[in-house]
Amino acid sequence: MGRGAGANTALRDAQLLRDKLVAVRNRDIELVQAIGMYEQTMLRYSAVAVRESLQGMNDSGLDLEPIRRTMAAPGCVPRCAAWIVCPRSNAA
């Protein structure tokens, strides 16, 4: 993943959510089911995008350990995000 990946992921999120809300409006599925389906799908591809972005950062030769320590700090980020960004931390 390169530049613009975050924006592309945000647009993908918006399209997926729109599709689920249209299905609710059309009475194809219930709202709670639509939100669950949106979250499951979004979490799958967003986790891949974050990992690919992190790999790109690792390949850049930057010292990322200070960032990892900050991201794994209690209360810094949600537990699932800390696990995605800092798989070596105890945040999971």
Side-chain angles (χ1 to χ4, degrees), residues 1-52:
M1 272 214 174
R3 294 177 182 250
N8 290 337
T9 301
L11 290 171
R12 186 175 177 183
D13 290 346
Q15 180 182 17
L16 176 62
L17 182 58
R18 182 215 51 207
D19 292 346
K20 297 304 175 195
L21 292 175
V22 167
V24 170
R25 181 198 65 196
N26 293 341
R27 293 186 166 82
D28 295 331
I29 56 176
E30 295 293 320
L31 179 60
V32 173
Q33 180 186 9
I35 293 171
M37 292 168 66
Y38 162 75
E39 288 177 342
Q40 287 178 349
T41 303
M42 184 264 306
L43 286 174
R44 272 195 308 270
Y45 66 74
S46 64
V48 171
V50 169
R51 285 189 191 104
E52 288 176 355

Side-chain angles (χ1 to χ4, degrees), residues 4 6-7 10 13 20-21 38-39 42 47 51 56-58 62 66-67 70-71 73-74 84-85 89 91:
D13 290 346
K20 297 304 175 195
L21 292 175
Y38 162 75
E39 288 177 342
M42 184 264 306
R51 285 189 191 104
M57 290 174 59
N58 286 336
L62 295 174
I67 296 170
T70 301
M71 295 299 285
I84 292 167
V85 175
S89 76

